[in-house]
Amino acid sequence: HVDMDAFFASVELRDQPELRGTPVIVGHLGGRGVVTSATYEARKFGIHAAMSMTQAQRLCPNATVIEPNHEKYEEVSERLQEIYLSMTPLVEPLSVDEAFLDVSGSRKLLGSPIEIGEKLRSKVFAEENITCSVGIAPTKFVAKLASTRAKPNGLLVVAPNEVIDFLHPLPVGALWGVGGKTEEVLKRLGIFKVSDIA
């Protein structure tokens, strides 16, 4: 699983490199505006996607706010798809900034999954000047969890014999499909970690 790091914000920082290392929020200003992306510097203040812009600006008043440019993000996303397809024809896009790649048939040509993951990360950075995180695992579900744990700008491998040890200590909220409300219900039932579910 490959996932761009703070995708919209990273694309904006390419055009405004002087903002690198500072808190940047991408989102619509105004009463009902929400955060669509935030740099990791902004996230340190508790800012996250889908948060109201009013709350985000309250948490970090010094953050630079940039209006989203979805056309630009789509163009970058299309070029990212070409990079994925240069690694394997088996690409399953999840959104503009993430995808699953089955690289099992690419090993003879491109090397081990780790080598392919590193080549992918290098190519994304060389061609688009943004970073991504890669999770390598025997299933898509575990690969997605691994890429999240590798963020930002990392690569994490979960071998088949490591899956249980990797999953069990994770908080239930890490599971795909467990949102805030479901997590609250599970915690009320005394279920805090994946191991509790198991």
PDB file of all heavy atoms in Angstrom, residues 37-71:
ATOM      1  N   SER A  37      -6.230  19.072   4.341  1.00  0.00           N
ATOM      2  CA  SER A  37      -4.890  18.523   4.554  1.00  0.00           C
ATOM      3  C   SER A  37      -4.121  19.480   5.454  1.00  0.00           C
ATOM      4  O   SER A  37      -4.426  20.674   5.517  1.00  0.00           O
ATOM      5  CB  SER A  37      -4.169  18.365   3.208  1.00  0.00           C
ATOM      6  OG  SER A  37      -2.906  17.764   3.364  1.00  0.00           O
ATOM      7  N   ALA A  38      -3.122  18.931   6.130  1.00  0.00           N
ATOM      8  CA  ALA A  38      -2.278  19.763   6.999  1.00  0.00           C
ATOM      9  C   ALA A  38      -0.887  19.166   7.045  1.00  0.00           C
ATOM     10  O   ALA A  38      -0.734  17.945   7.033  1.00  0.00           O
ATOM     11  CB  ALA A  38      -2.871  19.834   8.408  1.00  0.00           C
ATOM     12  N   THR A  39       0.114  20.025   7.091  1.00  0.00           N
ATOM     13  CA  THR A  39       1.492  19.538   7.203  1.00  0.00           C
ATOM     14  C   THR A  39       1.674  18.895   8.580  1.00  0.00           C
ATOM     15  O   THR A  39       0.887  19.129   9.502  1.00  0.00           O
ATOM     16  CB  THR A  39       2.513  20.685   7.044  1.00  0.00           C
ATOM     17  OG1 THR A  39       2.261  21.670   8.067  1.00  0.00           O
ATOM     18  CG2 THR A  39       2.434  21.336   5.672  1.00  0.00           C
ATOM     19  N   TYR A  40       2.731  18.106   8.719  1.00  0.00           N
ATOM     20  CA  TYR A  40       2.989  17.450   9.999  1.00  0.00           C
ATOM     21  C   TYR A  40       3.294  18.485  11.084  1.00  0.00           C
ATOM     22  O   TYR A  40       3.011  18.255  12.254  1.00  0.00           O
ATOM     23  CB  TYR A  40       4.099  16.402   9.851  1.00  0.00           C
ATOM     24  CG  TYR A  40       3.591  15.209   9.073  1.00  0.00           C
ATOM     25  CD1 TYR A  40       3.722  15.137   7.694  1.00  0.00           C
ATOM     26  CD2 TYR A  40       2.917  14.173   9.725  1.00  0.00           C
ATOM     27  CE1 TYR A  40       3.201  14.060   6.979  1.00  0.00           C
ATOM     28  CE2 TYR A  40       2.403  13.094   9.018  1.00  0.00           C
ATOM     29  CZ  TYR A  40       2.544  13.041   7.649  1.00  0.00           C
ATOM     30  OH  TYR A  40       2.019  11.995   6.943  1.00  0.00           O
ATOM     31  N   GLU A  41       3.825  19.632  10.687  1.00  0.00           N
ATOM     32  CA  GLU A  41       4.068  20.716  11.654  1.00  0.00           C
ATOM     33  C   GLU A  41       2.738  21.227  12.210  1.00  0.00           C
ATOM     34  O   GLU A  41       2.646  21.560  13.397  1.00  0.00           O
ATOM     35  CB  GLU A  41       4.851  21.860  11.001  1.00  0.00           C
ATOM     36  CG  GLU A  41       6.285  21.515  10.645  1.00  0.00           C
ATOM     37  CD  GLU A  41       6.455  20.732   9.341  1.00  0.00           C
ATOM     38  OE1 GLU A  41       5.455  20.552   8.600  1.00  0.00           O
ATOM     39  OE2 GLU A  41       7.580  20.290   9.059  1.00  0.00           O
ATOM     40  N   ALA A  42       1.712  21.302  11.362  1.00  0.00           N
ATOM     41  CA  ALA A  42       0.385  21.741  11.819  1.00  0.00           C
ATOM     42  C   ALA A  42      -0.282  20.653  12.653  1.00  0.00           C
ATOM     43  O   ALA A  42      -0.995  20.933  13.618  1.00  0.00           O
ATOM     44  CB  ALA A  42      -0.488  22.110  10.623  1.00  0.00           C
ATOM     45  N   ARG A  43      -0.026  19.400  12.304  1.00  0.00           N
ATOM     46  CA  ARG A  43      -0.650  18.279  13.027  1.00  0.00           C
ATOM     47  C   ARG A  43      -0.174  18.208  14.474  1.00  0.00           C
ATOM     48  O   ARG A  43      -0.877  17.690  15.333  1.00  0.00           O
ATOM     49  CB  ARG A  43      -0.359  16.954  12.307  1.00  0.00           C
ATOM     50  CG  ARG A  43      -1.069  16.873  10.965  1.00  0.00           C
ATOM     51  CD  ARG A  43      -0.731  15.610  10.220  1.00  0.00           C
ATOM     52  NE  ARG A  43      -1.223  15.673   8.849  1.00  0.00           N
ATOM     53  CZ  ARG A  43      -1.324  14.629   8.054  1.00  0.00           C
ATOM     54  NH1 ARG A  43      -0.965  13.435   8.465  1.00  0.00           N
ATOM     55  NH2 ARG A  43      -1.783  14.771   6.823  1.00  0.00           N
ATOM     56  N   LYS A  44       1.020  18.737  14.742  1.00  0.00           N
ATOM     57  CA  LYS A  44       1.530  18.749  16.116  1.00  0.00           C
ATOM     58  C   LYS A  44       0.623  19.577  17.035  1.00  0.00           C
ATOM     59  O   LYS A  44       0.645  19.414  18.250  1.00  0.00           O
ATOM     60  CB  LYS A  44       2.958  19.305  16.159  1.00  0.00           C
ATOM     61  CG  LYS A  44       3.991  18.337  15.591  1.00  0.00           C
ATOM     62  CD  LYS A  44       5.373  18.951  15.550  1.00  0.00           C
ATOM     63  CE  LYS A  44       6.358  18.018  14.870  1.00  0.00           C
ATOM     64  NZ  LYS A  44       7.619  18.667  14.543  1.00  0.00           N
ATOM     65  N   PHE A  45      -0.160  20.474  16.436  1.00  0.00           N
ATOM     66  CA  PHE A  45      -1.085  21.306  17.212  1.00  0.00           C
ATOM     67  C   PHE A  45      -2.448  20.628  17.372  1.00  0.00           C
ATOM     68  O   PHE A  45      -3.378  21.213  17.915  1.00  0.00           O
ATOM     69  CB  PHE A  45      -1.270  22.670  16.533  1.00  0.00           C
ATOM     70  CG  PHE A  45      -0.057  23.554  16.596  1.00  0.00           C
ATOM     71  CD1 PHE A  45       0.935  23.465  15.622  1.00  0.00           C
ATOM     72  CD2 PHE A  45       0.110  24.466  17.635  1.00  0.00           C
ATOM     73  CE1 PHE A  45       2.071  24.266  15.673  1.00  0.00           C
ATOM     74  CE2 PHE A  45       1.237  25.274  17.693  1.00  0.00           C
ATOM     75  CZ  PHE A  45       2.217  25.172  16.714  1.00  0.00           C
ATOM     76  N   GLY A  46      -2.575  19.404  16.848  1.00  0.00           N
ATOM     77  CA  GLY A  46      -3.845  18.675  16.938  1.00  0.00           C
ATOM     78  C   GLY A  46      -4.745  18.856  15.734  1.00  0.00           C
ATOM     79  O   GLY A  46      -5.908  18.435  15.742  1.00  0.00           O
ATOM     80  N   ILE A  47      -4.226  19.484  14.692  1.00  0.00           N
ATOM     81  CA  ILE A  47      -5.030  19.728  13.484  1.00  0.00           C
ATOM     82  C   ILE A  47      -5.063  18.460  12.637  1.00  0.00           C
ATOM     83  O   ILE A  47      -4.053  17.787  12.460  1.00  0.00           O
ATOM     84  CB  ILE A  47      -4.444  20.914  12.686  1.00  0.00           C
ATOM     85  CG1 ILE A  47      -4.562  22.195  13.524  1.00  0.00           C
ATOM     86  CG2 ILE A  47      -5.137  21.074  11.342  1.00  0.00           C
ATOM     87  CD1 ILE A  47      -3.754  23.355  13.017  1.00  0.00           C
ATOM     88  N   HIS A  48      -6.250  18.137  12.113  1.00  0.00           N
ATOM     89  CA  HIS A  48      -6.397  16.958  11.254  1.00  0.00           C
ATOM     90  C   HIS A  48      -7.469  17.199  10.199  1.00  0.00           C
ATOM     91  O   HIS A  48      -8.273  18.133  10.321  1.00  0.00           O
ATOM     92  CB  HIS A  48      -6.740  15.716  12.091  1.00  0.00           C
ATOM     93  CG  HIS A  48      -7.984  15.882  12.921  1.00  0.00           C
ATOM     94  ND1 HIS A  48      -9.251  15.716  12.412  1.00  0.00           N
ATOM     95  CD2 HIS A  48      -8.144  16.207  14.232  1.00  0.00           C
ATOM     96  CE1 HIS A  48     -10.146  15.929  13.358  1.00  0.00           C
ATOM     97  NE2 HIS A  48      -9.497  16.241  14.479  1.00  0.00           N
ATOM     98  N   ALA A  49      -7.472  16.358   9.175  1.00  0.00           N
ATOM     99  CA  ALA A  49      -8.448  16.470   8.090  1.00  0.00           C
ATOM    100  C   ALA A  49      -9.862  16.357   8.654  1.00  0.00           C
ATOM    101  O   ALA A  49     -10.099  15.639   9.623  1.00  0.00           O
ATOM    102  CB  ALA A  49      -8.191  15.394   7.047  1.00  0.00           C
ATOM    103  N   ALA A  50     -10.772  17.090   8.033  1.00  0.00           N
ATOM    104  CA  ALA A  50     -12.204  17.121   8.373  1.00  0.00           C
ATOM    105  C   ALA A  50     -12.515  17.984   9.603  1.00  0.00           C
ATOM    106  O   ALA A  50     -13.672  18.176   9.942  1.00  0.00           O
ATOM    107  CB  ALA A  50     -12.784  15.718   8.531  1.00  0.00           C
ATOM    108  N   MET A  51     -11.479  18.514  10.253  1.00  0.00           N
ATOM    109  CA  MET A  51     -11.691  19.437  11.369  1.00  0.00           C
ATOM    110  C   MET A  51     -12.184  20.768  10.797  1.00  0.00           C
ATOM    111  O   MET A  51     -11.814  21.145   9.693  1.00  0.00           O
ATOM    112  CB  MET A  51     -10.364  19.643  12.106  1.00  0.00           C
ATOM    113  CG  MET A  51     -10.379  20.723  13.173  1.00  0.00           C
ATOM    114  SD  MET A  51      -8.740  20.929  13.922  1.00  0.00           S
ATOM    115  CE  MET A  51      -8.772  19.591  15.105  1.00  0.00           C
ATOM    116  N   SER A  52     -13.016  21.473  11.553  1.00  0.00           N
ATOM    117  CA  SER A  52     -13.472  22.780  11.068  1.00  0.00           C
ATOM    118  C   SER A  52     -12.285  23.740  10.999  1.00  0.00           C
ATOM    119  O   SER A  52     -11.384  23.689  11.848  1.00  0.00           O
ATOM    120  CB  SER A  52     -14.565  23.351  11.969  1.00  0.00           C
ATOM    121  OG  SER A  52     -14.000  23.911  13.134  1.00  0.00           O
ATOM    122  N   MET A  53     -12.288  24.592   9.990  1.00  0.00           N
ATOM    123  CA  MET A  53     -11.200  25.563   9.836  1.00  0.00           C
ATOM    124  C   MET A  53     -11.160  26.514  11.028  1.00  0.00           C
ATOM    125  O   MET A  53     -10.087  26.930  11.460  1.00  0.00           O
ATOM    126  CB  MET A  53     -11.365  26.351   8.534  1.00  0.00           C
ATOM    127  CG  MET A  53     -11.015  25.556   7.296  1.00  0.00           C
ATOM    128  SD  MET A  53      -9.268  25.091   7.224  1.00  0.00           S
ATOM    129  CE  MET A  53      -8.518  26.682   6.879  1.00  0.00           C
ATOM    130  N   THR A  54     -12.328  26.833  11.577  1.00  0.00           N
ATOM    131  CA  THR A  54     -12.393  27.724  12.738  1.00  0.00           C
ATOM    132  C   THR A  54     -11.607  27.121  13.898  1.00  0.00           C
ATOM    133  O   THR A  54     -10.785  27.793  14.530  1.00  0.00           O
ATOM    134  CB  THR A  54     -13.865  27.943  13.156  1.00  0.00           C
ATOM    135  OG1 THR A  54     -14.604  28.389  12.013  1.00  0.00           O
ATOM    136  CG2 THR A  54     -13.986  28.966  14.268  1.00  0.00           C
ATOM    137  N   GLN A  55     -11.847  25.833  14.169  1.00  0.00           N
ATOM    138  CA  GLN A  55     -11.142  25.159  15.259  1.00  0.00           C
ATOM    139  C   GLN A  55      -9.645  25.060  14.957  1.00  0.00           C
ATOM    140  O   GLN A  55      -8.810  25.278  15.834  1.00  0.00           O
ATOM    141  CB  GLN A  55     -11.737  23.761  15.479  1.00  0.00           C
ATOM    142  CG  GLN A  55     -11.148  23.055  16.686  1.00  0.00           C
ATOM    143  CD  GLN A  55     -11.713  21.656  16.875  1.00  0.00           C
ATOM    144  OE1 GLN A  55     -12.600  21.222  16.143  1.00  0.00           O
ATOM    145  NE2 GLN A  55     -11.185  20.947  17.859  1.00  0.00           N
ATOM    146  N   ALA A  56      -9.301  24.733  13.695  1.00  0.00           N
ATOM    147  CA  ALA A  56      -7.886  24.599  13.306  1.00  0.00           C
ATOM    148  C   ALA A  56      -7.144  25.915  13.506  1.00  0.00           C
ATOM    149  O   ALA A  56      -6.023  25.929  14.028  1.00  0.00           O
ATOM    150  CB  ALA A  56      -7.788  24.141  11.859  1.00  0.00           C
ATOM    151  N   GLN A  57      -7.770  27.017  13.114  1.00  0.00           N
ATOM    152  CA  GLN A  57      -7.114  28.318  13.262  1.00  0.00           C
ATOM    153  C   GLN A  57      -7.012  28.730  14.725  1.00  0.00           C
ATOM    154  O   GLN A  57      -6.095  29.445  15.109  1.00  0.00           O
ATOM    155  CB  GLN A  57      -7.860  29.375  12.439  1.00  0.00           C
ATOM    156  CG  GLN A  57      -7.635  29.172  10.942  1.00  0.00           C
ATOM    157  CD  GLN A  57      -8.312  30.244  10.111  1.00  0.00           C
ATOM    158  OE1 GLN A  57      -9.533  30.308  10.037  1.00  0.00           O
ATOM    159  NE2 GLN A  57      -7.504  31.086   9.488  1.00  0.00           N
ATOM    160  N   ARG A  58      -7.938  28.246  15.542  1.00  0.00           N
ATOM    161  CA  ARG A  58      -7.869  28.508  16.972  1.00  0.00           C
ATOM    162  C   ARG A  58      -6.678  27.748  17.581  1.00  0.00           C
ATOM    163  O   ARG A  58      -5.966  28.272  18.434  1.00  0.00           O
ATOM    164  CB  ARG A  58      -9.177  28.077  17.644  1.00  0.00           C
ATOM    165  CG  ARG A  58      -9.435  28.759  18.978  1.00  0.00           C
ATOM    166  CD  ARG A  58     -10.795  28.400  19.583  1.00  0.00           C
ATOM    167  NE  ARG A  58     -11.898  28.690  18.700  1.00  0.00           N
ATOM    168  CZ  ARG A  58     -12.842  27.797  18.351  1.00  0.00           C
ATOM    169  NH1 ARG A  58     -12.786  26.559  18.804  1.00  0.00           N
ATOM    170  NH2 ARG A  58     -13.819  28.138  17.540  1.00  0.00           N
ATOM    171  N   LEU A  59      -6.482  26.492  17.130  1.00  0.00           N
ATOM    172  CA  LEU A  59      -5.388  25.674  17.647  1.00  0.00           C
ATOM    173  C   LEU A  59      -4.022  26.191  17.205  1.00  0.00           C
ATOM    174  O   LEU A  59      -3.042  26.075  17.929  1.00  0.00           O
ATOM    175  CB  LEU A  59      -5.552  24.220  17.179  1.00  0.00           C
ATOM    176  CG  LEU A  59      -6.682  23.419  17.815  1.00  0.00           C
ATOM    177  CD1 LEU A  59      -6.861  22.086  17.097  1.00  0.00           C
ATOM    178  CD2 LEU A  59      -6.409  23.184  19.293  1.00  0.00           C
ATOM    179  N   CYS A  60      -3.963  26.726  15.974  1.00  0.00           N
ATOM    180  CA  CYS A  60      -2.682  27.208  15.446  1.00  0.00           C
ATOM    181  C   CYS A  60      -2.909  28.490  14.645  1.00  0.00           C
ATOM    182  O   CYS A  60      -2.982  28.462  13.406  1.00  0.00           O
ATOM    183  CB  CYS A  60      -2.043  26.119  14.576  1.00  0.00           C
ATOM    184  SG  CYS A  60      -0.387  26.541  14.024  1.00  0.00           S
ATOM    185  N   PRO A  61      -3.031  29.614  15.333  1.00  0.00           N
ATOM    186  CA  PRO A  61      -3.329  30.875  14.648  1.00  0.00           C
ATOM    187  C   PRO A  61      -2.238  31.327  13.668  1.00  0.00           C
ATOM    188  O   PRO A  61      -2.505  32.105  12.754  1.00  0.00           O
ATOM    189  CB  PRO A  61      -3.518  31.886  15.781  1.00  0.00           C
ATOM    190  CG  PRO A  61      -2.980  31.249  17.010  1.00  0.00           C
ATOM    191  CD  PRO A  61      -2.955  29.771  16.785  1.00  0.00           C
ATOM    192  N   ASN A  62      -1.004  30.829  13.846  1.00  0.00           N
ATOM    193  CA  ASN A  62       0.097  31.246  12.968  1.00  0.00           C
ATOM    194  C   ASN A  62       0.227  30.399  11.703  1.00  0.00           C
ATOM    195  O   ASN A  62       1.108  30.635  10.891  1.00  0.00           O
ATOM    196  CB  ASN A  62       1.426  31.199  13.732  1.00  0.00           C
ATOM    197  CG  ASN A  62       1.447  32.197  14.878  1.00  0.00           C
ATOM    198  OD1 ASN A  62       0.827  33.249  14.796  1.00  0.00           O
ATOM    199  ND2 ASN A  62       2.142  31.855  15.952  1.00  0.00           N
ATOM    200  N   ALA A  63      -0.650  29.397  11.552  1.00  0.00           N
ATOM    201  CA  ALA A  63      -0.561  28.527  10.373  1.00  0.00           C
ATOM    202  C   ALA A  63      -0.906  29.300   9.106  1.00  0.00           C
ATOM    203  O   ALA A  63      -1.756  30.191   9.116  1.00  0.00           O
ATOM    204  CB  ALA A  63      -1.507  27.344  10.521  1.00  0.00           C
ATOM    205  N   THR A  64      -0.226  28.954   8.029  1.00  0.00           N
ATOM    206  CA  THR A  64      -0.558  29.516   6.720  1.00  0.00           C
ATOM    207  C   THR A  64      -1.707  28.691   6.149  1.00  0.00           C
ATOM    208  O   THR A  64      -1.648  27.457   6.136  1.00  0.00           O
ATOM    209  CB  THR A  64       0.648  29.417   5.753  1.00  0.00           C
ATOM    210  OG1 THR A  64       1.761  30.088   6.359  1.00  0.00           O
ATOM    211  CG2 THR A  64       0.336  30.029   4.406  1.00  0.00           C
ATOM    212  N   VAL A  65      -2.747  29.377   5.698  1.00  0.00           N
ATOM    213  CA  VAL A  65      -3.903  28.683   5.125  1.00  0.00           C
ATOM    214  C   VAL A  65      -3.881  28.847   3.606  1.00  0.00           C
ATOM    215  O   VAL A  65      -3.723  29.957   3.091  1.00  0.00           O
ATOM    216  CB  VAL A  65      -5.232  29.235   5.700  1.00  0.00           C
ATOM    217  CG1 VAL A  65      -6.430  28.560   5.032  1.00  0.00           C
ATOM    218  CG2 VAL A  65      -5.279  29.033   7.211  1.00  0.00           C
ATOM    219  N   ILE A  66      -4.014  27.729   2.901  1.00  0.00           N
ATOM    220  CA  ILE A  66      -4.014  27.733   1.434  1.00  0.00           C
ATOM    221  C   ILE A  66      -5.324  27.126   0.947  1.00  0.00           C
ATOM    222  O   ILE A  66      -5.721  26.050   1.407  1.00  0.00           O
ATOM    223  CB  ILE A  66      -2.814  26.929   0.874  1.00  0.00           C
ATOM    224  CG1 ILE A  66      -1.498  27.556   1.341  1.00  0.00           C
ATOM    225  CG2 ILE A  66      -2.876  26.853  -0.644  1.00  0.00           C
ATOM    226  CD1 ILE A  66      -0.258  26.752   0.981  1.00  0.00           C
ATOM    227  N   GLU A  67      -5.970  27.826   0.036  1.00  0.00           N
ATOM    228  CA  GLU A  67      -7.208  27.301  -0.562  1.00  0.00           C
ATOM    229  C   GLU A  67      -6.869  26.081  -1.420  1.00  0.00           C
ATOM    230  O   GLU A  67      -5.889  26.099  -2.169  1.00  0.00           O
ATOM    231  CB  GLU A  67      -7.872  28.375  -1.442  1.00  0.00           C
ATOM    232  CG  GLU A  67      -8.529  29.493  -0.670  1.00  0.00           C
ATOM    233  CD  GLU A  67      -9.933  29.141  -0.191  1.00  0.00           C
ATOM    234  OE1 GLU A  67     -10.651  28.412  -0.895  1.00  0.00           O
ATOM    235  OE2 GLU A  67     -10.295  29.600   0.912  1.00  0.00           O
ATOM    236  N   PRO A  68      -7.657  25.004  -1.343  1.00  0.00           N
ATOM    237  CA  PRO A  68      -7.350  23.813  -2.131  1.00  0.00           C
ATOM    238  C   PRO A  68      -7.493  24.035  -3.636  1.00  0.00           C
ATOM    239  O   PRO A  68      -8.343  24.813  -4.073  1.00  0.00           O
ATOM    240  CB  PRO A  68      -8.364  22.772  -1.645  1.00  0.00           C
ATOM    241  CG  PRO A  68      -9.337  23.476  -0.781  1.00  0.00           C
ATOM    242  CD  PRO A  68      -8.831  24.840  -0.489  1.00  0.00           C
ATOM    243  N   ASN A  69      -6.636  23.337  -4.395  1.00  0.00           N
ATOM    244  CA  ASN A  69      -6.675  23.389  -5.860  1.00  0.00           C
ATOM    245  C   ASN A  69      -6.786  21.944  -6.368  1.00  0.00           C
ATOM    246  O   ASN A  69      -5.789  21.303  -6.674  1.00  0.00           O
ATOM    247  CB  ASN A  69      -5.400  24.057  -6.386  1.00  0.00           C
ATOM    248  CG  ASN A  69      -5.368  24.161  -7.896  1.00  0.00           C
ATOM    249  OD1 ASN A  69      -6.106  23.471  -8.590  1.00  0.00           O
ATOM    250  ND2 ASN A  69      -4.494  25.009  -8.406  1.00  0.00           N
ATOM    251  N   HIS A  70      -8.022  21.440  -6.409  1.00  0.00           N
ATOM    252  CA  HIS A  70      -8.235  20.024  -6.710  1.00  0.00           C
ATOM    253  C   HIS A  70      -7.793  19.628  -8.113  1.00  0.00           C
ATOM    254  O   HIS A  70      -7.377  18.489  -8.330  1.00  0.00           O
ATOM    255  CB  HIS A  70      -9.697  19.655  -6.451  1.00  0.00           C
ATOM    256  CG  HIS A  70     -10.033  19.721  -4.994  1.00  0.00           C
ATOM    257  ND1 HIS A  70      -9.607  18.774  -4.092  1.00  0.00           N
ATOM    258  CD2 HIS A  70     -10.722  20.646  -4.279  1.00  0.00           C
ATOM    259  CE1 HIS A  70     -10.030  19.108  -2.877  1.00  0.00           C
ATOM    260  NE2 HIS A  70     -10.700  20.239  -2.961  1.00  0.00           N
ATOM    261  N   GLU A  71      -7.836  20.572  -9.032  1.00  0.00           N
ATOM    262  CA  GLU A  71      -7.376  20.280 -10.397  1.00  0.00           C
ATOM    263  C   GLU A  71      -5.882  19.923 -10.383  1.00  0.00           C
ATOM    264  O   GLU A  71      -5.444  18.966 -11.021  1.00  0.00           O
ATOM    265  CB  GLU A  71      -7.620  21.509 -11.282  1.00  0.00           C
ATOM    266  CG  GLU A  71      -7.585  21.214 -12.763  1.00  0.00           C
ATOM    267  CD  GLU A  71      -7.961  22.445 -13.585  1.00  0.00           C
ATOM    268  OE1 GLU A  71      -9.142  22.852 -13.540  1.00  0.00           O
ATOM    269  OE2 GLU A  71      -7.058  22.983 -14.256  1.00  0.00           O
TER     270      GLU A  71
END
